[in-house]
Amino acid sequence: MQKPLKRHEALVPLSRDHHFGLLLVWKIRQGLAFEVSLSRICNYLIYYVEHHLLPHFQLEELGVFPFLDEKDELRQEAEEQHEVILGIFETIKSGEEEHSANHLYQFAGSLEAHIRFEERILFEHMQDVLSPDEMQRLGEKISESHRFGDEIWEDEFWKKDN
């Protein structure tokens, strides 16, 4: 078992978002395992991405990643992963191939890998290379921009009895 990561308080709101992102991954996989109609899963995915994931990505791209140099390889990797995830999302949202289960699996796998990358590698890197003052400013930037609204969704397809 991997030991828990020590997270700087500045990054805690993003880590909390990541927890809910992993929950999204689990919900998608549960829906697929229960053979729920793909449109039900996709409707939730579209809601979640538009209300939670896109604002999270925007905060990272505009407020967090700029604390690292543009040429920082880990920053570039995170930005590229955002593009891949959003590309898969756009395919799902467009209805191409009628929301194939393959795209949902691909989205879930890409999002999970991305969250693990940010938590285990990128955030650790930021904590190592940013000064205490930069981490303080980063925390202020995140605090002024971070929002995570309540989730309003009634179709809990990920539960066995729904």
Short mmCIF file of all heavy atoms in Angstrom, two decimals, residues 101-136:
data_model
loop_
_atom_site.label_atom_id
_atom_site.label_comp_id
_atom_site.label_asym_id
_atom_site.label_seq_id
_atom_site.Cartn_x
_atom_site.Cartn_y
_atom_site.Cartn_z
N ALA A 101 -19.32 2.58 -25.36
CA ALA A 101 -18.78 2.24 -24.05
C ALA A 101 -17.27 2.39 -24.05
O ALA A 101 -16.67 2.78 -23.05
CB ALA A 101 -19.18 0.81 -23.69
N ASN A 102 -16.66 2.13 -25.20
CA ASN A 102 -15.21 2.26 -25.31
C ASN A 102 -14.75 3.68 -24.97
O ASN A 102 -13.75 3.87 -24.28
CB ASN A 102 -14.76 1.86 -26.72
CG ASN A 102 -13.25 1.74 -26.82
OD1 ASN A 102 -12.60 1.24 -25.91
ND2 ASN A 102 -12.71 2.18 -27.93
N HIS A 103 -15.48 4.68 -25.44
CA HIS A 103 -15.10 6.07 -25.15
C HIS A 103 -15.26 6.37 -23.66
O HIS A 103 -14.47 7.12 -23.08
CB HIS A 103 -15.93 7.05 -25.98
CG HIS A 103 -15.54 7.09 -27.41
ND1 HIS A 103 -16.41 6.78 -28.42
CD2 HIS A 103 -14.36 7.38 -28.01
CE1 HIS A 103 -15.78 6.88 -29.58
NE2 HIS A 103 -14.54 7.24 -29.36
N LEU A 104 -16.29 5.81 -23.04
CA LEU A 104 -16.48 6.02 -21.61
C LEU A 104 -15.35 5.38 -20.81
O LEU A 104 -14.82 5.99 -19.88
CB LEU A 104 -17.84 5.48 -21.15
CG LEU A 104 -19.04 6.30 -21.64
CD1 LEU A 104 -20.33 5.53 -21.41
CD2 LEU A 104 -19.08 7.66 -20.96
N TYR A 105 -14.97 4.16 -21.19
CA TYR A 105 -13.82 3.51 -20.53
C TYR A 105 -12.55 4.34 -20.74
O TYR A 105 -11.76 4.51 -19.81
CB TYR A 105 -13.59 2.10 -21.08
CG TYR A 105 -14.50 1.04 -20.50
CD1 TYR A 105 -15.41 0.38 -21.32
CD2 TYR A 105 -14.44 0.70 -19.16
CE1 TYR A 105 -16.24 -0.62 -20.81
CE2 TYR A 105 -15.27 -0.28 -18.64
CZ TYR A 105 -16.16 -0.93 -19.45
OH TYR A 105 -17.00 -1.91 -18.95
N GLN A 106 -12.37 4.83 -21.95
CA GLN A 106 -11.19 5.63 -22.28
C GLN A 106 -11.18 6.92 -21.45
O GLN A 106 -10.14 7.30 -20.91
CB GLN A 106 -11.22 5.94 -23.77
CG GLN A 106 -9.96 6.51 -24.32
CD GLN A 106 -10.06 6.76 -25.83
OE1 GLN A 106 -11.14 6.71 -26.43
NE2 GLN A 106 -8.93 7.04 -26.44
N PHE A 107 -12.33 7.58 -21.34
CA PHE A 107 -12.42 8.80 -20.53
C PHE A 107 -12.07 8.49 -19.08
O PHE A 107 -11.25 9.18 -18.47
CB PHE A 107 -13.82 9.42 -20.63
CG PHE A 107 -13.95 10.68 -19.83
CD1 PHE A 107 -13.67 11.91 -20.39
CD2 PHE A 107 -14.34 10.64 -18.49
CE1 PHE A 107 -13.76 13.07 -19.64
CE2 PHE A 107 -14.43 11.79 -17.73
CZ PHE A 107 -14.14 13.02 -18.31
N ALA A 108 -12.69 7.46 -18.53
CA ALA A 108 -12.46 7.11 -17.12
C ALA A 108 -10.99 6.78 -16.88
O ALA A 108 -10.39 7.25 -15.89
CB ALA A 108 -13.36 5.94 -16.72
N GLY A 109 -10.39 6.00 -17.75
CA GLY A 109 -8.99 5.64 -17.59
C GLY A 109 -8.06 6.83 -17.70
O GLY A 109 -7.11 6.97 -16.92
N SER A 110 -8.33 7.71 -18.66
CA SER A 110 -7.50 8.90 -18.85
C SER A 110 -7.62 9.86 -17.66
O SER A 110 -6.62 10.41 -17.20
CB SER A 110 -7.87 9.62 -20.14
OG SER A 110 -7.61 8.81 -21.25
N LEU A 111 -8.85 10.05 -17.17
CA LEU A 111 -9.04 10.95 -16.03
C LEU A 111 -8.37 10.39 -14.79
O LEU A 111 -7.69 11.11 -14.06
CB LEU A 111 -10.52 11.21 -15.78
CG LEU A 111 -10.82 12.19 -14.63
CD1 LEU A 111 -10.19 13.56 -14.88
CD2 LEU A 111 -12.32 12.31 -14.42
N GLU A 112 -8.53 9.10 -14.55
CA GLU A 112 -7.89 8.49 -13.38
C GLU A 112 -6.37 8.63 -13.45
O GLU A 112 -5.73 9.02 -12.47
CB GLU A 112 -8.27 7.02 -13.25
CG GLU A 112 -7.63 6.36 -12.04
CD GLU A 112 -7.98 4.90 -11.89
OE1 GLU A 112 -8.22 4.21 -12.91
OE2 GLU A 112 -8.01 4.44 -10.73
N ALA A 113 -5.78 8.31 -14.60
CA ALA A 113 -4.33 8.42 -14.76
C ALA A 113 -3.88 9.87 -14.56
O ALA A 113 -2.83 10.12 -13.93
CB ALA A 113 -3.92 7.91 -16.14
N HIS A 114 -4.65 10.81 -15.07
CA HIS A 114 -4.31 12.23 -14.93
C HIS A 114 -4.33 12.65 -13.46
O HIS A 114 -3.40 13.33 -12.99
CB HIS A 114 -5.27 13.08 -15.75
CG HIS A 114 -5.12 14.54 -15.51
ND1 HIS A 114 -3.99 15.24 -15.89
CD2 HIS A 114 -5.93 15.45 -14.90
CE1 HIS A 114 -4.12 16.51 -15.54
NE2 HIS A 114 -5.29 16.65 -14.92
N ILE A 115 -5.36 12.26 -12.75
CA ILE A 115 -5.45 12.64 -11.33
C ILE A 115 -4.29 12.03 -10.56
O ILE A 115 -3.66 12.70 -9.73
CB ILE A 115 -6.81 12.21 -10.75
CG1 ILE A 115 -7.92 13.08 -11.34
CG2 ILE A 115 -6.80 12.30 -9.21
CD1 ILE A 115 -9.33 12.59 -11.04
N ARG A 116 -4.00 10.78 -10.81
CA ARG A 116 -2.86 10.13 -10.13
C ARG A 116 -1.55 10.86 -10.46
O ARG A 116 -0.71 11.05 -9.59
CB ARG A 116 -2.75 8.65 -10.53
CG ARG A 116 -3.99 7.84 -10.25
CD ARG A 116 -4.14 7.49 -8.80
NE ARG A 116 -5.30 6.60 -8.63
CZ ARG A 116 -6.10 6.63 -7.59
NH1 ARG A 116 -5.90 7.51 -6.62
NH2 ARG A 116 -7.10 5.79 -7.49
N PHE A 117 -1.40 11.26 -11.73
CA PHE A 117 -0.20 11.99 -12.13
C PHE A 117 -0.09 13.32 -11.36
O PHE A 117 0.97 13.64 -10.82
CB PHE A 117 -0.23 12.27 -13.65
CG PHE A 117 0.77 13.28 -14.11
CD1 PHE A 117 2.11 12.94 -14.26
CD2 PHE A 117 0.39 14.59 -14.37
CE1 PHE A 117 3.05 13.89 -14.66
CE2 PHE A 117 1.32 15.53 -14.78
CZ PHE A 117 2.65 15.18 -14.92
N GLU A 118 -1.18 14.07 -11.32
CA GLU A 118 -1.11 15.36 -10.63
C GLU A 118 -0.83 15.18 -9.15
O GLU A 118 0.00 15.88 -8.58
CB GLU A 118 -2.41 16.16 -10.83
CG GLU A 118 -2.48 16.78 -12.20
CD GLU A 118 -3.57 17.82 -12.35
OE1 GLU A 118 -4.43 17.97 -11.44
OE2 GLU A 118 -3.56 18.50 -13.38
N GLU A 119 -1.50 14.23 -8.52
CA GLU A 119 -1.33 14.03 -7.08
C GLU A 119 0.06 13.49 -6.74
O GLU A 119 0.69 13.98 -5.80
CB GLU A 119 -2.40 13.09 -6.53
CG GLU A 119 -3.77 13.72 -6.45
CD GLU A 119 -3.87 14.82 -5.41
OE1 GLU A 119 -3.18 14.77 -4.37
OE2 GLU A 119 -4.66 15.76 -5.65
N ARG A 120 0.52 12.50 -7.46
CA ARG A 120 1.75 11.80 -7.09
C ARG A 120 3.01 12.42 -7.66
O ARG A 120 4.09 12.25 -7.10
CB ARG A 120 1.66 10.34 -7.53
CG ARG A 120 0.58 9.58 -6.81
CD ARG A 120 0.47 8.17 -7.32
NE ARG A 120 -0.59 7.45 -6.63
CZ ARG A 120 -1.15 6.34 -7.04
NH1 ARG A 120 -0.73 5.79 -8.18
NH2 ARG A 120 -2.11 5.77 -6.36
N ILE A 121 2.86 13.12 -8.79
CA ILE A 121 4.07 13.63 -9.46
C ILE A 121 4.06 15.16 -9.54
O ILE A 121 4.97 15.81 -9.03
CB ILE A 121 4.22 12.99 -10.86
CG1 ILE A 121 4.37 11.47 -10.70
CG2 ILE A 121 5.40 13.59 -11.61
CD1 ILE A 121 4.31 10.68 -11.98
N LEU A 122 3.06 15.73 -10.19
CA LEU A 122 3.05 17.19 -10.42
C LEU A 122 3.02 17.97 -9.12
O LEU A 122 3.81 18.89 -8.91
CB LEU A 122 1.90 17.60 -11.32
CG LEU A 122 1.85 19.10 -11.65
CD1 LEU A 122 3.05 19.49 -12.50
CD2 LEU A 122 0.55 19.47 -12.33
N PHE A 123 2.10 17.66 -8.22
CA PHE A 123 1.98 18.41 -6.97
C PHE A 123 3.23 18.22 -6.10
O PHE A 123 3.69 19.16 -5.44
CB PHE A 123 0.72 18.03 -6.20
CG PHE A 123 -0.55 18.56 -6.80
CD1 PHE A 123 -0.57 19.33 -7.96
CD2 PHE A 123 -1.76 18.28 -6.19
CE1 PHE A 123 -1.75 19.81 -8.50
CE2 PHE A 123 -2.97 18.76 -6.72
CZ PHE A 123 -2.95 19.52 -7.88
N GLU A 124 3.78 17.02 -6.09
CA GLU A 124 5.02 16.79 -5.35
C GLU A 124 6.14 17.66 -5.93
O GLU A 124 6.92 18.27 -5.19
CB GLU A 124 5.42 15.31 -5.40
CG GLU A 124 4.48 14.40 -4.62
CD GLU A 124 4.53 14.63 -3.12
OE1 GLU A 124 5.64 14.63 -2.54
OE2 GLU A 124 3.45 14.84 -2.52
N HIS A 125 6.19 17.73 -7.25
CA HIS A 125 7.19 18.55 -7.95
C HIS A 125 7.01 20.03 -7.57
O HIS A 125 7.99 20.71 -7.25
CB HIS A 125 7.03 18.35 -9.46
CG HIS A 125 7.82 19.26 -10.31
ND1 HIS A 125 9.21 19.24 -10.35
CD2 HIS A 125 7.44 20.24 -11.20
CE1 HIS A 125 9.64 20.16 -11.21
NE2 HIS A 125 8.58 20.77 -11.73
N MET A 126 5.77 20.50 -7.59
CA MET A 126 5.52 21.90 -7.25
C MET A 126 5.94 22.20 -5.82
O MET A 126 6.55 23.23 -5.54
CB MET A 126 4.04 22.25 -7.46
CG MET A 126 3.61 22.22 -8.91
SD MET A 126 1.89 22.69 -9.17
CE MET A 126 2.09 24.49 -9.12
N GLN A 127 5.65 21.28 -4.92
CA GLN A 127 6.04 21.47 -3.52
C GLN A 127 7.55 21.50 -3.37
O GLN A 127 8.08 22.16 -2.46
CB GLN A 127 5.42 20.37 -2.64
CG GLN A 127 3.93 20.50 -2.50
CD GLN A 127 3.26 19.36 -1.75
OE1 GLN A 127 2.08 19.41 -1.54
NE2 GLN A 127 3.98 18.32 -1.35
N ASP A 128 8.26 20.81 -4.25
CA ASP A 128 9.72 20.78 -4.20
C ASP A 128 10.36 22.02 -4.81
O ASP A 128 11.37 22.51 -4.30
CB ASP A 128 10.27 19.55 -4.93
CG ASP A 128 10.03 18.25 -4.18
OD1 ASP A 128 9.72 18.30 -2.97
OD2 ASP A 128 10.13 17.18 -4.82
N VAL A 129 9.80 22.53 -5.92
CA VAL A 129 10.48 23.60 -6.65
C VAL A 129 9.99 25.01 -6.30
O VAL A 129 10.71 25.97 -6.54
CB VAL A 129 10.43 23.39 -8.18
CG1 VAL A 129 11.08 22.07 -8.57
CG2 VAL A 129 9.02 23.51 -8.72
N LEU A 130 8.78 25.13 -5.77
CA LEU A 130 8.28 26.47 -5.44
C LEU A 130 8.72 26.87 -4.04
O LEU A 130 8.74 26.04 -3.12
CB LEU A 130 6.75 26.52 -5.56
CG LEU A 130 6.16 26.25 -6.94
CD1 LEU A 130 4.64 26.34 -6.89
CD2 LEU A 130 6.72 27.18 -8.00
N SER A 131 9.05 28.13 -3.90
CA SER A 131 9.46 28.66 -2.59
C SER A 131 8.25 28.73 -1.67
O SER A 131 7.10 28.71 -2.13
CB SER A 131 10.07 30.05 -2.76
OG SER A 131 9.04 30.97 -3.09
N PRO A 132 8.48 28.87 -0.36
CA PRO A 132 7.35 29.06 0.56
C PRO A 132 6.48 30.26 0.18
O PRO A 132 5.25 30.19 0.28
CB PRO A 132 8.02 29.26 1.91
CG PRO A 132 9.31 28.49 1.80
CD PRO A 132 9.74 28.70 0.37
N ASP A 133 7.10 31.35 -0.27
CA ASP A 133 6.32 32.52 -0.69
C ASP A 133 5.47 32.21 -1.93
O ASP A 133 4.32 32.64 -2.02
CB ASP A 133 7.25 33.71 -1.01
CG ASP A 133 7.79 34.38 0.23
OD1 ASP A 133 7.26 34.11 1.34
OD2 ASP A 133 8.73 35.18 0.10
N GLU A 134 6.04 31.47 -2.89
CA GLU A 134 5.28 31.10 -4.08
C GLU A 134 4.11 30.17 -3.72
O GLU A 134 3.01 30.33 -4.24
CB GLU A 134 6.20 30.42 -5.10
CG GLU A 134 7.17 31.37 -5.76
CD GLU A 134 8.20 30.66 -6.61
OE1 GLU A 134 8.76 29.63 -6.16
OE2 GLU A 134 8.44 31.13 -7.74
N MET A 135 4.36 29.25 -2.79
CA MET A 135 3.28 28.37 -2.36
C MET A 135 2.18 29.17 -1.67
O MET A 135 1.00 28.89 -1.85
CB MET A 135 3.80 27.26 -1.43
CG MET A 135 4.65 26.20 -2.13
SD MET A 135 3.83 25.32 -3.50
CE MET A 135 2.54 24.43 -2.64
N GLN A 136 2.56 30.18 -0.91
CA GLN A 136 1.58 31.05 -0.25
C GLN A 136 0.74 31.77 -1.30
O GLN A 136 -0.48 31.82 -1.21
CB GLN A 136 2.31 32.06 0.65
CG GLN A 136 1.43 33.13 1.25
CD GLN A 136 0.56 32.59 2.38
OE1 GLN A 136 0.91 31.63 3.03
NE2 GLN A 136 -0.59 33.22 2.58
#
